Amino acid sequence: MLDCAAPGWIRKRLKASARAFGATARNPGLLRAQIAFAATWTAEAAFTVGIAVVAFRDGGAAAVGVVAFARLAPSAFITPFASALADRFPRDRVLVVSCLVRATATAAAASALVAGAPPVVVYVLAVISTAAFRLFRPAHSALLPGLCNTPFELRSANVVRGLLDSISTLLGPLTAAALLGLGSTAAVFVTSAVLSLASGVLLLSLSYEAPPRGQPQPLRRIVHETVEGFQALVRYRDAGVLIGLALVQTLTQGFLTVFVVVLALEELSLGSSGVGLLIAALGAGAVASSLGASMCLIGLRLAALEGIGVMLWGLPLTLMGVLPEVAVVFALMFVIGIGNSLVDIGLHTLPARLVPEELLARVFGAKASLTALSGAVGAFVTPFAIALLGVRGALVLLGLVAPTVVALAWRRLRAIDGAVARRDEEIEVLNGVAMFRPLPMPAIDELALHVDHVQVAAGEAVFHQGDQGGPFYVIEDGEAEVIGDGRLIRTLGSGEGFGEIALLRDTSRTATVRARTSLRLHSLDRRYLRSAVTAYESSEREADAVVLDRLSDFTPRERASPR
């Protein structure tokens, strides 16, 4: 799973970790997007602790469950429609709006708390804040692939984001614990508002080459477009499996939302700040796991890793029910944090590669909707389970849900990893071609889906001068000769492409290409090549430069005829 056993693995893994973080640091747009994510997630982690304490003081464990349900359930219906807007409009702008709404609602909740307003006012503002927050991640997840160029960069971006998520899950509750220790719940809300506003400022004027969009559709079609996000989970089965596991994880997270307050305030007698400290232990485990993942990035099998992460959400709950001691509970919260990090890496990398780019925000929105609903259900049913089975019995039983589901899905997860590994090999070959290098990750991934494989024996022609333009070819292995008007023009080797002139200029073949040795070729149909290259200005410029360079070396005596 994690290729860390080779000699000298420490140096090798540290180098891999540096590459992962360097991929983000060298990309200004990606760096700003990641820092904005960290600010938003820290705000949410702190706010979650604060609102849970307010609810518990208001009505005990039952109130914690009801408030958690009230925060999450509306998001299950609002997020898919809001996420559809991120497939219509620039995703960075959607993120800015999300941050501003969240900052406003959270600041208003702080004001209501200070003014002594009824708790229901604070809860309503918390619902608005949470709805805006739930939009952030699907839009951010859909934006990230467009800021990346290779599978490694995308994996790195999600590992880095997972680490930032983990650090935020640690710092947010610690900050909340410190402020609650001083008796200031309102200060927790103010901190959350400031961080949300800072996130929006970072995302202003984000520079990146957005993917092409068709003609804007009437806004009345927003319902149809939203439904397409849910339909994609069925149509693209592998993405549906991964998001299905995410539902199990958030269901278990809903259980934990109630259990952590009950454990801290009743079972372990840790006080209000104990809630923050327990969640901070989860964050510490996530940080450690994210750092480990960054050092073993190359060997990751992300679908299986997600499955292991989901199991690590459930099993610790069962063990807490068996051994509800302070040290044991803190250690098991640390283990849950490890699971959280493992889930995030696969969950937010693979669906972006398994569904079309133009559906990404809606798919992540559907995921956010369903996970919000499952989290709400988990929080809602836990008080009933506690009333029926007691705290320990409820922990043992509910903790077994996640590992049972993962065991049933394990074979499919391994198959997904195998398919993605094969596509990575295709992308590695395509990225050797100059005009493909500027393409963002979704475009190059789409090209890899349509690659065909061709074998040509030594001495045979791939095509002849004057032939009608057919596929574009990239040499995976072997050498080829380019022959124009009967003379050798150049020799091509592994990683080089040919056949682009006829496709991009709509002419017949300008030269003959013959196998000098046995050839293994990747071929791309004309329509896929043109739609990818001409859709992005940077790639089109590179393609034009390649064509002009080739024609400067050789122009046929008889001009190639237009198709």
Side-chain angles (χ1 to χ4, degrees), residues 172-236:
L174 282 177
T175 301
L179 294 171
L180 288 168
L182 297 173
S184 181
T185 309
V188 176
F189 290 3
V190 170
T191 301
S192 177
V194 170
L195 288 171
S196 298
L197 182 61
S199 178
V201 171
L202 281 166
L203 290 165
L204 287 172
S205 304
L206 193 65
S207 177
Y208 68 104
E209 192 170 8
R213 292 283 183 262
Q215 291 294 324
Q217 298 295 313
L219 197 58
R220 65 177 179 273
R221 284 183 51 82
I222 197 73
V223 174
H224 174 74
E225 292 174 2
T226 300
V227 171
E228 287 180 333
F230 290 93
Q231 291 173 335
L233 300 182
V234 178
R235 183 177 178 186
Y236 301 96

Side-chain angles (χ1 to χ4, degrees), residues 236-248 302-304 306-307 310 343 346-347 349-351 354 367 412-413 416-417 420:
Y236 301 96
R237 179 186 170 196
D238 288 344
V241 169
L242 296 170
I243 289 174
L245 285 181
L247 301 185
V248 178
L302 299 184
E306 181 185 340
V310 172
V343 170
L347 178 61
T349 301
L350 292 178
L354 298 173
K367 173 255 176 189
R412 190 64 200 167
L413 297 178
I416 292 170
D417 280 332
V420 170

